[in-house]
Amino acid sequence: MLDNARDKSWIVAAIFLVAVVLFGIRWSSGILNKGPVFDEKYITVPILNIINDGWSVETAIDFEETKGPAMIWPYAYVGKIFGGTLNDLRLVSVWSSILALLVLSWIALRSDVSKYGFLLVAIGWLLLPYNIVFSEIVMGEVSFLLLSLLAVMAFLWGVEKQGTALQRIAGPMLYCLAVMAALHSRIHVVALTGAVCFTAFAILGVRSWPWWVASILAGLLRIPLWIRWDGLVSPEYQSLHGLGFRLESLSYLAAAMLPFVGVFVIEGWRVAKSKGFMVCSFLLGVSVVFVAMPDLFVPESIDFAHHNERFQGIVASVLLRCSSSAVVHQYVLALFAGLGLAGLAGLWHCRGKAMHAASITFWALLFGWMLYALTRGFVFDRFLLTWAFLLPIVYVRTLPKFLLALQYLLLACIAMYLTANWL
């Protein structure tokens, strides 16, 4: 709880830091002079259609995009207030990231973060892979993270030990609304609901049933849009994302976890009483790559008429730039995947100091990773960001100062590369 002015001051300082950095990048980089970057040329089409043509069933529901209305509508509504141009829409992302940090700070407070720890959490928020870039452009991740953070906030408020009867009743209801909204943005929140339910069971046992019911109800409320679109995403983009079975997704995402949780290989190994879980996780990661090696070749254009498979992001870029040999790619990817899953296991061993944030992150990453075995289409490193948004709290609460500095240095290098490349 906020028991003194000092905590409030540090939280305000953290929010101010993020605002200064994001607006500083907005004004000092070349982004305000650039046309559409990343996926902006696709995602802004339905937003601008609403702004220019008005709200209707055709523009607000039957649009073509991989994101749902819970992402499109706020950008269209708030973006029009700001002015309606591409740079005005980008400003919505900036403010979404600042608001997300405010909610993250609330969660950090309940994870026993204090004093300058809030500044470290804010720095970690900015340094999470891709987050600083997505905070400057029109993409679905930042607004989705805000909704996911609100869902976690409602959960933690509803399960507080000293909570009132009102909190126990209203908590699951607010959580259901936040999850429903997030689910109408992108399907990735499914992994978070599993994480919340498992964490709730660990805290409350059978009395956790309201959180399970709330998760199921939120999922059922997504069915009407699924029926209307006849799939996870709008019809035009169903060749890029859909249901199926593919182990290659597990191979790639296991490797992609390395920048996020690789540091817990070191700290988890240090604190774990038994190393078996981490060793088995490493062997699993290595094995899945040799069983199902993803094809890292990226076609020059997207074929919307046929099913697509592509694996892109930090890991793929590193491999393709280091060597042109497919054999080298497989062995290095196997090493990355082994360390990625070992880091996830290490996170489990480190969860004690981070309270519920580490448990939610562990289960969200695990469930998200496993769910991708049931998908087809594109797989990007940035998908992991949708489940790893509590990691700044976990870093600050569990890592020794040396490892925290080392992790932030690695993430800073990645952030600088992505910022220079895209902004």
Side-chain angles (χ1 to χ4, degrees):
M1 300 293 176
L2 283 175
D3 12 44
N4 54 58
R6 184 176 298 177
D7 283 329
K8 294 180 181 179
S9 298
W10 283 108
I11 291 176
V12 170
I15 296 169
F16 181 74
L17 170 65
V18 169
V20 168
V21 171
L22 293 183
F23 278 104
I25 292 175
R26 176 178 169 86
W27 294 326
S28 64
S29 70
I31 189 60
L32 294 179
N33 299 316
K34 283 188 176 182
V37 299
F38 238 111
D39 291 344
E40 285 185 327
K41 63 181 178 181
Y42 305 111
I43 203 168
T44 56
V45 171
I47 298 172
L48 294 175
N49 283 342
I50 294 176
I51 292 174
N52 297 326
D53 301 335
W55 294 79
S56 66
V57 172
E58 182 180 1
T59 59
I61 298 178
D62 293 335
F63 57 82
E64 295 290 349
E65 231 301 309
T66 59
K67 309 303 180 292
M71 185 271 159
I72 302 300
W73 294 355
Y75 272 84
Y77 183 79
V78 180
K80 186 174 182 178
I81 294 174
F82 287 163
T85 68
L86 175 58
N87 283 328
D88 295 321
L89 297 179
R90 289 167 172 165
L91 188 58
V92 178
S93 296
V94 174
W95 282 110
S96 295
S97 187
I98 294 170
L99 290 174
L101 189 274
L102 175 61
V103 181
L104 185 67
S105 297
W106 185 96
I107 297 171
L109 187 67
R110 278 146 183 82
S111 301
D112 286 345
V113 173
S114 60
K115 299 180 181 178
Y116 65 88
F118 291 106
L119 288 177
L120 295 176
V121 168
I123 294 171
W125 170 254
L126 292 170
L127 294 182
L128 282 176
Y130 292 100
N131 199 34
I132 201 166
V133 173
F134 293 157
S135 297
E136 300 287 349
I137 63 177
V138 185
M139 291 286 284
E141 278 76 5
V142 175
S143 60
F144 174 82
L145 292 181
L146 176 57
L147 292 171
S148 297
L149 282 162
L150 289 172
V152 173
M153 181 182 184
F155 167 68
L156 295 178
W157 179 72
V159 297
E160 281 185 343
K161 288 184 178 180
Q162 306 302 322
T164 63
L166 174 63
Q167 286 177 251
R168 291 192 292 272
I169 296 172
M173 296 173 65
L174 294 173
Y175 162 80
C176 181
L177 292 175
V179 170
M180 179 192 67
L183 198 55
H184 279 77
S185 176
R186 58 196 305 160
I187 203 73
H188 293 83
V189 76
V190 169
L192 177 63
T193 62
V196 167
C197 288
F198 270 57
T199 305
F201 184 79
I203 299 170
L204 303 171
V206 294
R207 291 184 294 114
S208 65
W209 66 266
W211 302 100
W212 295 79
V213 172
S215 297
I216 294 171
L217 179 59
L220 293 176
L221 292 173
R222 180 61 160 76
I223 292 178
L225 185 60
W226 189 325
I227 293 173
R228 188 174 186 89
W229 281 357
D230 194 27
L232 297 178
V233 297
S234 63
E236 183 178 327
Y237 288 87
Q238 288 179 12
S239 64
L240 312 185
H241 302 281
L243 298 178
F245 180 77
R246 184 179 56 179
L247 292 178
E248 287 82 357
S249 300
L250 300 186
S251 301
Y252 188 78
L253 287 179
M257 285 189 199
L258 184 57
F260 291 90
V261 297
V263 67
F264 295 107
V265 174
I266 302 172
E267 182 62 10
W269 190 269
R270 187 182 72 84
V271 303
K273 295 180 180 179
S274 172
K275 321 295 185 186
F277 183 30
M278 294 184 65
V279 172
C280 290
S281 298
F282 176 83
L283 294 176
L284 175 61
V286 171
S287 300
V288 73
V289 173
F290 283 104
V291 170
M293 174 65 187
D295 183 1
L296 301 181
F297 171 75
V298 178
E300 293 184 2
S301 60
I302 298 176
D303 181 4
F304 288 94
H306 302 90
H307 292 316
N308 286 259
E309 288 192 5
R310 68 170 65 188
F311 303 86
Q312 287 182 268
I314 300 168
V315 169
S317 297
V318 169
L319 293 178
L320 293 173
R321 294 191 179 194
C322 289
S323 175
S324 59
S325 169
V327 174
V328 172
H329 292 167
Q330 186 169 34
Y331 276 88
V332 176
L333 191 71
L335 176 62
F336 285 0
L339 291 175
L341 290 190
L344 184 60
L347 172 61
W348 177 257
H349 289 302
C350 297
R351 69 191 186 283
K353 291 182 180 179
M355 301 176 70
H356 307 319
S359 295
I360 292 173
T361 303
F362 171 83
W363 288 117
L365 284 169
L366 179 62
F367 290 147
W369 177 70
M370 291 192 302
L371 283 173
Y372 258 83
L374 305 177
T375 67
R376 55 171 174 75
F378 288 9
V379 176
F380 302 128
D381 301 52
R382 68 177 188 257
F383 290 168
L384 294 173
L385 179 62
T386 61
W387 309 310
F389 53 87
L390 296 178
L391 274 178
I393 296 173
V394 183
Y395 293 149
V396 172
R397 288 291 297 134
T398 64
L399 295 179
K401 291 181 180 179
F402 171 74
L403 283 182
L404 180 63
L406 191 65
Q407 175 67 3
Y408 277 14
L409 178 62
L410 169 65
L411 295 180
C413 292
I414 295 173
M416 286 188 291
Y417 169 78
L418 292 173
T419 300
N421 194 41
W422 292 106
L423 305 181

